[in-house]
C-alpha cells in the first residue's frame, strides 16, 4: 500500500485564471517536458514525467487523437495530479500529457452586458462571439486600510430589507434559505430593482432548468441588458463550478476598477464550497467537518474578501451570497462559516412562507452589521421597536391563536396584536411591486405614527 502523499494544493488565486491562447510551455533550453498518464482515480488524473506549475493547464491526448484539457491541482513526488475541465471520455493508459501556457485573462468591458457565459468566459447564449477585450486583472487583495468605508445606504427595492435590514453600498451579505421558500424570487426582485450600474450574477451548481428560468423570469430582458450572467450548472465538473464563482467575482472587480457600482449575486456559496470539497477529497485532502476538507473553508474568505468597496473615490461591489440551509439547518458548517465572514445575513423562514408572507424574511434571525453606519438615530429606534413587536407576537403566536392569551397581561403583546395586520402588510410585497428606499422608510414611519 502506497504511503499517503503529501499534497501541495493549488493556489486559489489561480483557480479562476482564464486564457485566449494555449501554447506549449518551453523550458529554459526550449524543450517541452511532456508526461504520461498513469492513473485515473475518480475525478483525478495522475501523470508522471511532466513539469507544470499548480494552476496551469495540460492537454491529455485521448484515443481518437483529440484533447482533454485538465488543470494541475497538486503533486506528490514525481506524480502530478490533474483535474479535467470536461468529460474524460477516450483516455488511455500512458496517454501523452502536454503542459500548456495559460495567461490569466478574463473578458472585461461593456461588451459583456446582456451576455451569458460559462466558467471559462465563453458565451453560452446564441449572440455570437464576445465583443470585448480580455486582460489580466490583479489578484492581490486590497489593503483593508485603503478600502473606502461604507457610508451610504443601497436601495435594493425590497421594503423589508430597505427599512429593517438596511444594506450599505459595498456590503457583503448572506441570503440563508432552505429549498422552496422564495430565494430565487427574492434574488430576482433585487436584481431588477437595486440601484446599481452593473449586475453580475454567478449561478454556481444550479440545475440547468433553473438557469434558464432565472434568466427569463427572475432577471427579465430589462435587467439582463445591464447584467452579466456566469452559469456553471451542476452537471459541470467541480473545477468548472469553482471557476464560475471566481470568474463572476473577477468580472465584478473589472467593472469596480472602472469606478462603477456593481451588484454581485452569487447563487450559491454552498455549492461553491461543495465543488471545492470534491476537488480537495479527489486529491487526497483529509475530510474534517461533515466531509469538508480544510481548503473548502479556506476558500470562502478569499472569495468573499475580493468584493466590497474599492479604493477611496472608486467603485464598489455589493455582494449577496445565497447559502443553502440543508434541511433548514442553520448550523450547517458552511452556513456557520459564512456568518462569520459576511457583513450580515438575511434568513428566509419556511414558517413565514407557509403563512403566505413573501418575501419570507425572518426579521428576528436576520441582521445587517452596517445598518447603524448608514441610517439615522430615529430610523434605528423604529427598527428596534418593530423587532420587539414582531418578536413578542411570534413568541406568543400559539397562545394568541387558540385564545389563551388574555388582553392586558402584557402591554407589549397587546401592542403587537393591535399592529399585527399592519405588520404583515408591511412585510408582504409582490414581485412586481418595487419599494424604493424613501418609500420603505415612509412606510415604517407610518406604521407607528398613523392609526
Amino acid at each position: 500500500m502506497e504511503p499517503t502523499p503529501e499534497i501541495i494544493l493549488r493556489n486559489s488565486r489561480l483557480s479562476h485564471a482564464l486564457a485566449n491562447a494555449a501554447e506549449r510551455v518551453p523550458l529554459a533550453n526550449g524543450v517541452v517536458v511532456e508526461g504520461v498518464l498513469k492513473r485515473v482515480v475518480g475525478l483525478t488524473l495522475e501523470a508522471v514525467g511532466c513539469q507544470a506549475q499548480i494552476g496551469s493547464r495540460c492537454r491529455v491526448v485521448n484515443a481518437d487523437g483529440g484533447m482533454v484539457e485538465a488543470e494541475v491541482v497538486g503533486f506528490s513526488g514525481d506524480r502530478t495530479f490533474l483535474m479535467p475541465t470536461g468529460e474524460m471520455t477516450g483516455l488511455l493508459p500512458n496517454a501523452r500529457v502536454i503542459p500548456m501556457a495559460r495567461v490569466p485573462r478574463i473578458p472585461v468591458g461593456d461588451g459583456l452586458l446582456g451576455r451569458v457565459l460559462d466558467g471559462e468566459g465563453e458565451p453560452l447564449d446564441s449572440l455570437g462571439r464576445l465583443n470585448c477585450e480580455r486582460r489580466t486583472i490583479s489578484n492581490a487583495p486590497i489593503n483593508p486600510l485603503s478600502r473606502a468605508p461604507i457610508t451610504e445606504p443601497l436601495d435594493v427595492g425590497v421594503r423589508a430589507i430597505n427599512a429593517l435590514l438596511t444594506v450599505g453600498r459595498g456590503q457583503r451579505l448572506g441570503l440563508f434559505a432552505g429549498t422552496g421558500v422564495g430565494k430565487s424570487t427574492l434574488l430576482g426582485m433585487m436584481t431588477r430593482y437595486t440601484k446599481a450600474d452593473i449586475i453580475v450574477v454567478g449561478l454556481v451548481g444550479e440545475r440547468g432548468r433553473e438557469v434558464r428560468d432565472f434568466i427569463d423570469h427572475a432577471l427579465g430582458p430589462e435587467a439582463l441588458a445591464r447584467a452579466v450572467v456566469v452559469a456553471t450548472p451542476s452537471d459541470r465538473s467541480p473545477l468548472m463550478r469553482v471557476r464560475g464563482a471566481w470568474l463572476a467575482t473577477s468580472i465584478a472587480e473589472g467593472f469596480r476598477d472602472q469606478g462603477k457600482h456593481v451588484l454581485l449575486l452569487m447563487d450559491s456559496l454552498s455549492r461553491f464550497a461543495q465543488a471545492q470539497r470534491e476537488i480537495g477529497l479527489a486529491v487526497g485532502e483529509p475530510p474534517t467537518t461533515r466531509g469538508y476538507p480544510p481548503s473548502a473553508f479556506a476558500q470562502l474568505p478569499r472569495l468573499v474578501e475580493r468584493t466590497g468597496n474599492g479604493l477611496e473615490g472608486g467603485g464598489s461591489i455589493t455582494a449577496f451570497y445565497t447559502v443553502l440551509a440543508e434541511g433548514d439547518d442553520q448550523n450547517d458548517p458552511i452556513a456557520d462559516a459564512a456568518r462569520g465572514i459576511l457583513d450580515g445575513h438575511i434568513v428566509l423562514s419556511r414558517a413565514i412562507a407557509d403563512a403566505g408572507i413573501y418575501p419570507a424574511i425572518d426579521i428576528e434571525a436576520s441582521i445587517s452589521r452596517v445598518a447603524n453606519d448608514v441610517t439615522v438615530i430615529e430610523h434605528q429606534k423604529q427598527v428596534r421597536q418593530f423587532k420587539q413587536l414582531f418578536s413578542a407576537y411570534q413568541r406568543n403566536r400559539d397562545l394568541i391563536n387558540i385564545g389563551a392569551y388574555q388582553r392586558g397581561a402584557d402591554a407589549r403583546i397587546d401592542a403587537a396584536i393591535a399592529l399585527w395586520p399592519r405588520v404583515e402588510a408591511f412585510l408582504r410585497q409582490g414581485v412586481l411591486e418595487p419599494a424604493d428606499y424613501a418609500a420603505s422608510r415612509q412606510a415604517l414611519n407610518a406604521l407607528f405614527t398613523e392609526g
Side-chain angles (χ1 to χ4, degrees), residues 218-285:
L219 198 58
E222 184 177 344
L224 182 60
R226 61 186 179 110
V228 184
V229 179
V230 179
T232 50
S234 57
D235 60 343
R236 301 301 192 266
S237 71
L239 190 64
M240 292 304 294
R241 280 177 267 147
V242 169
R243 279 179 173 271
W246 284 111
L247 175 61
T249 303
S250 295
I251 290 174
E253 284 180 306
F255 285 113
R256 180 182 64 187
D257 291 345
Q258 298 175 12
K260 295 182 178 179
H261 298 297
V262 183
L263 173 67
L264 172 64
L265 302 176
M266 187 76 70
D267 188 13
S268 69
L269 197 63
S270 298
R271 292 191 174 117
F272 168 80
Q274 289 165 5
Q276 181 60 39
R277 174 174 62 183
E278 293 179 46
I279 295 171
L281 295 179
V283 297
E285 199 178 353

Side-chain angles (χ1 to χ4, degrees), residues 33-56:
V33 179
E34 297 184 2
V36 293
L37 181 64
K38 283 300 184 183
R39 189 181 181 195
V40 178
V41 180
L43 300 173
T44 308
L45 312 180
E46 294 184 15
V48 297
C50 63
Q51 294 186 11
Q53 63 185 7
I54 292 178
S56 64

Side-chain angles (χ1 to χ4, degrees), residues 343-364:
D343 301 324
H345 48 270
I346 299 172
V347 179
L348 300 187
S349 165
R350 190 172 304 278
I352 294 175
D354 290 343
I357 301 176
Y358 289 95
I361 299 173
D362 187 342
I363 300 301
E364 286 184 283

Side-chain angles (χ1 to χ4, degrees), residues 70-83:
E71 181 178 306
V72 179
V73 295
F75 57 83
S76 175
D78 63 343
R79 290 183 178 265
T80 302
F81 300 104
L82 306 102
M83 183 162 289

Side-chain angles (χ1 to χ4, degrees), residues 107-127:
V108 294
D110 292 343
L112 291 173
L113 299 180
R115 303 303 301 269
V116 183
L117 314 177
D118 64 11
E120 293 278 23
E122 298 300 328
L124 283 176
D125 50 30
S126 57
L127 302 179

Side-chain angles (χ1 to χ4, degrees), residues 142-163:
I142 298 177
N143 185 329
L145 298 182
S146 300
R147 283 187 186 269
I150 299 174
T151 57
E152 57 180 303
L154 177 68
D155 182 2
V156 299
V158 179
R159 184 166 48 246
I161 297 177
N162 279 342

